[in-house]
Amino acid sequence: MFKKVFFLKNILSTLSNYKRGKIHLSNPPLLAWVEINNICNLKCIMCPITFSTSRKKVIMSLAQLKQIVDQIKGFILEVYLFVGGEPLLHSDIISIIECCKTNGVEPVIHTNGVKLSDEISKALINFRVRNIFFSFDGYTKETYENIRVGANFENTIENINQLTAIKKEKKTTKPHIVIETLMDRVNIRPFTIEKEKKFKELFIDNNNISFTRKYISNFATEMPANEIYTFPKTVRGFTFTPCPNLWSSLNILSNGNVVPCCIDFNGENILGNINNESISKIWNGPKIKELRLKHFNGDIGDIPLCSKCGSVHRKNFHGIPFEFPGIGSFVRNTFNYDVYRAIWNRTVNL
């Protein structure tokens, strides 16, 4: 409880610093993204990792992960265990989950579900992980396998159903299962409500699963055209707002490089490296402070990652984006995922 009170105070401090355009921050990060590997077993047609990444493949060691958790455990509620890879491919994924939970940091796992095994499912349950998110794009076998190239529709559903079966056997509700589908704003035929209804029926105990629909973004990069997704323009019709990630989030790649954003898959904007500097030093270092100043002044034309990103035009309330990073962490960990999603739907309107 004390940590949540501290975290809430940190949220208010962060919002104040963001609104005033402070570039040297008194608040620590609200959220951490830690890429435990940048390896994936699929070739998804809408993923920058499939087409544009040029980084060397690196698997973060368990020892390095422990060093990161030790530095952030005092002020972070959640750590996202991915940026540009599939977390369940890490051979130490169970030990990584254990490390996070025993240090009071909730691990957030987004996975394609292909490598979900009984052993991993039991670990998720035993360590009482709150939520697990499955990226499941496509309500039919044809659409899903055309989008998530290398995956098998029936096998992935079976993996998720097996997790549900083990949960029922152990008489637990955790982890809560969330199935996320990326939709297209233009081509809605693969994502109709009728198809979604039939899709839901494939899952056992589906009344206790959250099914969410999100719209595809442009991932701040040029993506090759395909028959399913139309990647949106940079401007979505909302007001420009400085990127809140620079005031709220820490993003660590598998090689230790710290970048300003979770979609900097190629490590284009390196702020420092945790092998050479502490997280606190990087958080108020000269490179990130320069980015904060540029964003606050709206001067991002010479930053390709930022100028191409659709997320700098956001729905906001008096200049503060509704989807400000870190607030969701507080809601999910204080209440539950469904409360968080209800708030998201009313504000961000996805």
Side-chain angles (χ1 to χ4, degrees):
M1 179 59 72
F2 175 78
K3 186 175 180 180
K4 288 181 181 177
V5 172
F6 172 80
F7 190 81
L8 182 58
K9 181 180 178 182
N10 192 21
I11 288 175
L12 297 176
S13 176
T14 302
L15 292 174
S16 175
N17 286 335
Y18 174 82
K19 181 68 175 176
R20 292 182 295 161
K22 293 284 186 178
I23 63 171
H24 187 94
L25 304 183
S26 56
N27 63 278
L30 296 171
L31 194 64
W33 298 71
V34 179
E35 182 186 69
I36 58 176
N37 63 48
N38 63 334
I39 300 169
C40 193
N41 51 332
L42 302 183
K43 297 291 183 181
C44 301
I45 64 172
M46 72 304 190
C47 181
I49 301 301
T50 301
F51 301 103
S52 63
T53 186
S54 57
R55 289 168 50 212
K56 180 182 178 181
K57 301 303 180 185
V58 177
I59 299 173
M60 181 178 287
S61 70
L62 178 59
Q64 187 168 55
L65 185 279
K66 288 180 177 179
Q67 290 176 359
I68 294 170
V69 171
D70 191 55
Q71 290 187 65
I72 67 174
K73 63 184 180 182
F75 51 84
I76 293 285
L77 287 184
E78 290 183 330
V79 57
Y80 283 69
L81 295 176
F82 70 101
V83 175
E86 165 54 47
L88 299 192
L89 290 177
H90 200 296
S91 60
D92 289 321
I93 184 61
I94 293 175
S95 296
I96 288 171
I97 293 169
E98 179 181 16
C99 172
C100 294
K101 292 294 289 189
T102 55
N103 281 282
V105 179
E106 182 64 29
V108 178
I109 298 175
H110 281 250
T111 174
N112 56 44
V114 172
K115 291 297 183 179
L116 181 65
S117 63
D118 285 2
E119 182 184 14
I120 294 174
S121 293
K122 290 175 182 176
L124 293 168
I125 293 167
N126 292 338
F127 291 115
R128 295 189 62 77
V129 172
R130 294 181 66 92
N131 303 292
I132 181 167
F133 299 81
F134 292 97
S135 300
F136 205 118
D137 304 305
Y139 296 139
T140 65
K141 178 178 176 67
E142 180 183 9
T143 302
Y144 172 78
E145 293 183 4
N146 281 338
I147 293 174
R148 297 211 156 249
V149 178
N152 178 276
F153 185 74
E154 294 85 359
N155 289 351
T156 307
I157 291 174
E158 175 57 30
N159 289 347
I160 298 171
N161 280 337
Q162 182 63 11
L163 170 58
T164 300
I166 297 173
K167 282 173 57 180
K168 291 174 75 70
E169 177 186 331
K170 292 183 175 289
K171 299 179 181 179
T172 183
T173 59
K174 293 182 179 179
H176 179 64
I177 295 171
V178 182
I179 296 178
E180 297 183 329
T181 299
L182 277 179
M183 296 177 56
D184 188 83
R185 292 181 185 271
V186 179
N187 180 20
I188 63 171
R189 287 176 297 174
F191 308 103
T192 63
I193 297 297
E194 292 76 16
K195 288 180 179 179
E196 183 189 33
K197 183 178 179 180
K198 292 181 179 179
F199 171 72
K200 290 179 179 179
E201 294 172 354
L202 300 174
F203 296 89
I204 61 176
D205 198 25
N206 57 24
N207 289 330
N208 291 313
I209 295 175
S210 296
F211 294 87
T212 69
R213 297 149 64 91
K214 293 184 175 182
Y215 288 115
I216 191 77
S217 79
N218 67 2
F219 298 110
T221 189
E222 297 295 328
M223 298 286 289
N226 61 70
E227 296 180 354
I228 298 177
Y229 289 117
T230 303
F231 297 100
K233 302 291 184 181
T234 299
V235 178
R236 300 188 304 176
F238 298 136
T239 306
F240 171 83
T241 56
C243 180
N245 291 315
L246 297 171
W247 280 261
S248 63
S249 304
L250 190 72
N251 305 272
I252 304 173
L253 302 182
S254 55
N255 61 3
N257 284 339
V258 178
V259 294
C261 177
C262 63
I263 62 171
D264 192 352
F265 302 109
N266 278 322
E268 297 175 13
N269 299 275
I270 299 173
L271 307 176
N273 188 290
I274 59 168
N275 295 310
N276 306 320
E277 300 174 273
S278 69
I279 286 172
S280 60
K281 186 174 181 180
I282 295 172
W283 182 240
N284 273 311
K287 292 184 178 180
I288 194 169
K289 289 200 288 188
E290 180 183 5
L291 282 176
R292 288 173 186 145
L293 182 61
K294 281 181 171 289
H295 268 259
F296 189 74
N297 291 331
D299 181 24
I300 63 171
D302 61 345
I303 313 171
L305 184 76
C306 302
S307 60
K308 294 177 183 177
C309 180
S311 294
V312 294
H313 295 84
R314 303 167 183 254
K315 194 173 182 180
N316 65 85
F317 180 74
H318 293 291
I320 295 179
F322 280 117
E323 65 270 45
F324 202 95
I327 296 176
S329 292
F330 181 78
V331 175
R332 284 190 296 268
N333 284 272
T334 303
F335 303 101
N336 57 45
Y337 175 81
D338 286 335
V339 171
Y340 155 76
R341 194 65 201 180
I343 295 171
W344 176 282
N345 288 336
R346 288 180 65 86
T347 55
V348 185
N349 194 31
L350 288 178

